[in-house]
């Protein structure tokens, strides 16, 4: 399976880079394509995967499925045989969710799937999709719906997104906690 991240943010924020590096570690560099990347930013991503300036919508990749929280159909292990490409929005989480993925796909005649209705960060969504096409069903995975992070200054940062748990711990990018503590959210 190939994983495609369509970068839909105005800039390539440090937070995006942290998530994109994590995605590369999850799926492997050879199975990852970043699309809609400005030429000036290509160099920052080329060690993580293939980099394309064009939108995935212009690449004619087939058979393809777009992961969208507002899709009516859940991704299932059987979809492994149906699709060669899974596409994710390179969108930073927003609260309340703004349905930017659905907006982006408005008017497109494409297959879509959800991973439940709760909003996950792009790297979490990729991790969950990979587990599903490897054979797990969504309801067999464990999740945490809000992450509370102590900053160490008597304060905490609350991230109102869904995180997947492995052995009781949220799967987070290396350096995630330090990044949030330093930059806030
Ligand atoms: C942070 S989410 C974007 C959320 C944004 N608020 C929205 O409503 O589209 C980034 C990407 O992860 C994937 N994603 C996150 N949660 C998902 C879910 N529950 N179902 C399907 N895809 C999801 C989608 O591809 C989405 O574009």
């Amino acid at each position: 399976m190939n994983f495609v991240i369509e970068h839909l943010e105005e800039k390539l924020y440090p937070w995006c880079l942290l998530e994109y590096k994590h995605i590369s570690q999850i799926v492997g560099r050879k199975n990852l394509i970043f699309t809609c990347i400005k030429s000036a930013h290509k160099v920052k991503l080329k060690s993580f995967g293939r980099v394309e300036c064009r939108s995935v919508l212009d690449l004619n990749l087939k058979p393809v499925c777009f992961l969208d929280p507002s899709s009516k159909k859940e991704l299932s292990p059987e979809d492994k045989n149906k699709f060669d490409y899974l596409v994710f929005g390179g969108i930073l989480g927003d609260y309340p969710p703004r349905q930017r993925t659905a907006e982006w796909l408005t008017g497109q005649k494409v297959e879509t799937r959800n991973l439940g209705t709760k909003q996950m960060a792009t790297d979490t969504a990729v991790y969950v999709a990979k587990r599903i096409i490897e054979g797990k069903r969504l309801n067999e995975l464990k999740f945490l719906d809000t992450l509370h992070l102590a900053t160490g200054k008597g304060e905490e940062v609350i991230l109102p997104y869904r995180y997947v748990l492995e052995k009781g711990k949220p799967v987070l990018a290396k350096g995630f906690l330090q990044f949030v503590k330093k930059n806030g959210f």
Side-chain angles (χ1 to χ4, degrees):
M1 183 65 74
N2 297 285
F3 295 79
V4 182
I5 311 299
E6 171 96 343
H7 183 68
L8 290 163
E9 294 293 348
E10 183 67 21
K11 295 183 182 165
L12 189 57
Y13 299 105
W15 189 286
C16 299
L17 282 174
L18 189 87
E19 285 194 16
Y20 292 174
K21 183 177 180 186
H22 191 208
I23 292 170
S24 182
Q25 289 161 347
I26 294 166
V27 305
R29 185 184 179 281
K30 290 204 178 99
N31 307 312
L32 182 57
I33 310 172
F34 295 100
T35 54
C36 218
I37 302 294
K38 292 184 179 141
S39 1
H41 291 152
K42 272 184 143 184
V43 64
K44 293 189 182 170
L45 293 174
K46 68 175 189 199
S47 63
F48 302 159
R50 184 178 133 197
V51 188
E52 281 284 343
C53 293
R54 284 174 293 170
S55 163
V56 67
L57 299 173
D58 299 326
L59 289 179
N60 206 25
L61 303 175
K62 280 182 188 158
V64 63
C65 171
F66 290 74
L67 279 298
D68 177 359
S70 63
S71 172
K72 299 274 173 285
K73 219 168 165 184
E74 187 179 297
L75 185 73
S76 74
E78 293 73 34
D79 286 322
K80 181 185 178 190
N81 305 318
K82 198 163 177 202
F83 303 114
D84 287 340
Y85 296 90
L86 294 182
V87 181
F88 301 78
I91 301 172
L92 294 175
D94 36 42
Y95 193 80
R98 281 191 288 151
Q99 306 221 322
R100 287 174 64 195
T101 317
E103 251 170 49
W104 170 51
L105 294 175
T106 302
Q108 300 291 335
K109 285 200 175 78
V110 288
E111 286 258 20
T112 61
R113 295 286 186 274
N114 71 60
L115 303 165
T117 52
K118 298 259 166 72
Q119 180 182 193
M120 294 180 267
T122 311
D123 55 342
T124 305
V126 168
Y127 184 94
V128 170
K130 181 166 181 279
R131 296 282 276 134
I132 292 173
I133 54 153
E134 283 171 351
K136 283 273 178 203
R137 300 221 168 252
L138 185 67
N139 65 9
E140 294 175 314
L141 296 169
K142 301 256 182 293
F143 295 100
L144 177 72
D145 282 341
T146 303
L147 187 65
H148 293 254
L149 292 177
T151 59
K153 298 170 203 154
E155 294 165 0
E156 69 172 2
V157 175
I158 299 171
L159 297 167
Y161 307 110
R162 173 165 262 207
Y163 292 89
V164 63
L165 297 173
E166 287 293 357
K167 294 184 182 142
K169 290 195 174 155
V171 176
L172 302 172
K174 195 164 179 270
F176 177 89
L177 299 179
Q178 293 82 338
F179 185 88
V180 174
K181 282 181 188 175
K182 194 168 160 211
N183 300 286
F185 186 70

